[in-house]
Amino acid sequence: MKNQRRELSVILPNNKELSLTVGVKDRGQEVFNQLSELLGISELHLFGLSVVKDNQPLFLDLEKKLSLYLPKSWKKNSAKEKVILSLRVQYFVENAQLIVNREARQLYYAELKGRVLRSECFEQEGLYFQLVAYALQADLGNYQDQKFQYFSPLAYFPLWIVQKHGKDYILEHTPTLHKELKGMPSSEAALLFLQDVFTLIDVPVTIYRLFKGKRKTQNCVILGLTLKGLQISEMLNGEHQFLYNLPWSTIHSISYQGRKFEIRAEVLFEKSLRLFSCSILHAKHLLQHISNSHRMHLNTKRLIAQSKHTITLPCTTYGGRHREMYITDGADLDMEDSDDELPHMKLFLNQKPFTGTTECGNVKDSGEEYSLEMSVDEPEEMFVDDPEDVLRLFELLEGVSVDDPLLLPISQWKDLTEMNDI
């Protein structure tokens, strides 16, 4: 049968839309390669293709055919609505300097900047003003004295901050912070933004919605997948109720059978946390995402630890003085220990030494039950970016070597992998 051609759209992290022509028999990897070529970016390892399925976003397994994820009407060429995929950050790195490719880093920055608009860390209000100052410097360069509004508050601040302070207040005070960064290169401002945005716990996280029971009408549980582990919370009366923080080192095993998803960890005191996904497909892909994120965590930590000195950002004072400012409406002038105070500009990253390995083999796809148990001793060496770019990075890091691919597809795991002793 001929591989008939179909149209689909891909939304980029900067909200631009690209149209692609693909074959109905194409796999995700072929679409990803076409997108990479169209963008002129070969280093998209931190990104994945996402589709909304069963009213939830789902990252595609690039080894599977597109038809597994898209409506049947698309394959039959009878779809009335546009078929849309999204290019999204699938794996976070705390140190954005590891993203050597400039265009890939710009996409990474664009997505995290967009996530800040949806962030709700109310106790860190001051940090949002600092992040916006970095973003304005990265996007617009040095502040220029202007009598007109040169940015839209809603394009940089979460809605709740705009509603709390009002646009006039933001437009009056934010330029002062922007002005303090005069002379800072746009690339450095973006790096500082990406460094400090990790302080907002609801930004570098991928959210999955699960359920307490088999019925999808039962209480919704939010599983947040982060660089350092899992965060579990529950929706009660429309509000998030925090339940568990599960760093990788505390997780013993994760498995699923059908829609049932089971987590065993130290904080659960010999019990297991049993949740249900909306479908078997979602459960299987969630397990894959968790496995690859854990492996990413191990290998990026080792990459940093193997450097003989800390990666630093240039220690420069901008605007003629050290930036030490905060925003206040005058209601509370005693803010030495307030969370609303804008913290000092962070000028370096500090990583603790780390050793460890993940062992991965094949997953049998014939049965209903799958589990993930990672045994961690010393991480395998793997690509973080294009080999030539990595070599340039290693010159800065003084000789780190990497051999294996960064992420493993589900077909290369083994039945049982254990996560402990990180």
Side-chain angles (χ1 to χ4, degrees):
M1 180 179 175
K2 187 178 179 181
N3 190 14
Q4 299 176 1
R5 311 300 287 174
R6 297 288 184 269
E7 301 290 328
L8 59 79
S9 295
V10 178
I11 306 296
L12 304 180
N14 55 16
N15 292 323
K16 292 182 179 179
E17 182 175 337
L18 297 179
S19 295
L20 301 181
T21 301
V22 300
V24 294
K25 295 182 179 180
D26 283 358
R27 299 180 185 275
Q29 188 62 59
E30 291 168 295
V31 179
F32 200 76
N33 292 343
Q34 185 183 155
L35 181 63
S36 177
E37 185 177 349
L38 192 60
L39 293 172
I41 308 174
S42 59
E43 300 82 19
L44 289 174
H45 311 304
L46 300 180
F47 297 85
L49 289 173
S50 174
V51 65
V52 176
K53 193 171 180 64
D54 299 321
N55 295 317
Q56 291 202 47
L58 179 71
F59 280 108
L60 277 60
D61 181 343
L62 298 183
E63 293 188 340
K64 303 296 184 183
K65 290 184 178 180
L66 285 175
S67 55
L68 176 66
Y69 304 97
L70 302 183
K72 292 181 179 179
S73 57
W74 176 80
K75 186 175 181 180
K76 295 178 180 179
N77 205 22
S78 61
K80 295 181 180 180
E81 297 182 358
K82 184 188 300 185
V83 173
I84 297 176
L85 301 178
S86 297
L87 183 70
R88 296 175 52 206
V89 174
Q90 191 170 6
Y91 305 101
F92 296 98
V93 288
E94 196 166 4
N95 182 0
Q97 287 178 299
L98 295 178
I99 309 173
V100 180
N101 182 273
R102 184 180 63 180
E103 289 77 17
R105 187 188 293 176
Q106 287 174 344
L107 287 178
Y108 186 81
Y109 163 77
E111 173 149 343
L112 268 65
K113 191 174 75 166
R115 285 170 174 256
V116 168
L117 300 181
R118 302 185 294 274
S119 175
E120 295 183 344
C121 295
F122 303 116
E123 72 286 354
Q124 294 176 276
E125 186 176 319
L127 179 59
Y128 291 95
F129 284 87
Q130 175 179 325
L131 290 171
V132 170
Y134 289 146
L136 289 172
Q137 185 69 18
D139 296 346
L140 306 176
N142 291 335
Y143 172 79
Q144 303 292 333
D145 289 325
Q146 300 169 23
K147 295 182 180 180
F148 58 88
Q149 176 181 326
Y150 72 101
F151 74 96
S152 169
L154 287 173
Y156 286 87
F157 285 93
L159 178 60
W160 62 270
I161 288 185
V162 178
Q163 291 176 333
K164 178 178 179 179
H165 292 287
K167 293 182 180 180
D168 291 341
Y169 178 86
I170 290 173
L171 291 171
E172 178 185 353
H173 291 278
T174 306
T176 303
L177 300 178
H178 182 193
K179 197 181 302 182
E180 289 295 317
L181 302 177
K182 183 178 180 180
M184 178 183 286
S186 295
S187 59
E188 186 177 330
L191 278 174
L192 287 168
F193 176 95
L194 293 172
Q195 177 181 317
D196 282 7
V197 80
F198 263 76
T199 311
L200 300 174
I201 61 172
D202 60 355
V203 171
V205 58
T206 303
I207 298 297
Y208 287 94
R209 288 188 184 350
L210 303 171
F211 304 93
K212 278 191 168 182
K214 293 182 179 180
R215 283 190 261 173
K216 300 176 186 179
T217 55
Q218 292 178 287
N219 287 355
C220 179
V221 175
I222 306 299
L223 184 149
L225 174 56
T226 74
L227 177 67
K228 297 181 179 180
L230 304 178
Q231 298 170 350
I232 312 292
S233 60
E234 185 177 4
M235 290 297 293
L236 291 176
N237 300 320
E239 295 185 359
H240 286 270
Q241 180 69 43
F242 179 78
L243 297 177
Y244 305 107
N245 180 39
L246 305 177
W248 294 125
S249 59
T250 69
I251 299 175
H252 300 312
S253 67
I254 303 175
S255 63
Y256 82 88
Q257 182 176 17
R259 289 175 46 230
K260 185 175 70 175
F261 203 82
E262 189 168 321
I263 302 173
R264 296 183 181 274
E266 291 177 8
V267 298
L268 300 176
F269 305 107
E270 304 301 325
K271 297 180 180 180
S272 63
L273 178 62
R274 294 180 182 177
L275 303 170
F276 290 82
S277 67
C278 62
S279 71
I280 297 175
L281 183 67
H282 277 79
K284 184 175 182 179
H285 283 61
L286 173 55
L287 189 67
Q288 177 178 359
H289 195 186
I290 290 174
S291 172
N292 285 341
S293 295
H294 178 246
R295 194 164 189 255
M296 167 74 77
H297 163 75
L298 295 178
N299 287 277
T300 54
K301 288 208 59 156
R302 187 184 182 199
L303 182 62
I304 297 297
Q306 282 190 333
S307 64
K308 296 182 180 179
H309 60 274
T310 305
I311 300 176
T312 62
L313 293 174
C315 186
T316 308
T317 302
Y318 297 97
R321 55 180 173 160
H322 179 68
R323 191 175 75 80
E324 188 173 357
M325 305 184 65
Y326 58 84
I327 293 289
T328 177
D329 58 8
D332 182 5
L333 296 179
D334 183 15
M335 298 184 64
E336 287 187 5
D337 298 318
S338 172
D339 286 333
D340 284 345
E341 182 174 351
L342 290 179
H344 297 318
M345 191 181 302
K346 297 183 180 71
L347 296 176
F348 61 90
L349 300 173
N350 187 12
Q351 300 282 351
K352 294 181 180 180
F354 172 83
T355 58
T357 57
T358 62
E359 299 177 0
C360 300
N362 295 319
V363 167
K364 295 180 180 178
D365 206 22
S366 55
E368 284 189 337
E369 183 167 3
Y370 300 84
S371 57
L372 163 69
E373 272 180 273
M374 285 189 163
S375 62
V376 184
D377 300 310
E378 183 169 327
E380 300 175 28
E381 300 171 338
M382 23 177 24
F383 285 121
V384 173
D385 238 313
D386 181 83
E388 293 183 2
D389 289 337
V390 172
L391 288 176
R392 292 198 295 273
L393 175 62
F394 292 162
E395 290 178 1
L396 299 176
L397 298 183
E398 295 187 12
V400 182
S401 67
V402 233
D403 299 314
D404 295 340
L406 178 61
L407 306 172
L408 285 182
I410 197 168
S411 61
Q412 294 182 30
W413 304 349
K414 64 180 182 181
D415 290 351
L416 224 43
T417 335
E418 219 169 74
M419 290 191 231
N420 45 32
D421 301 329
I422 297 182

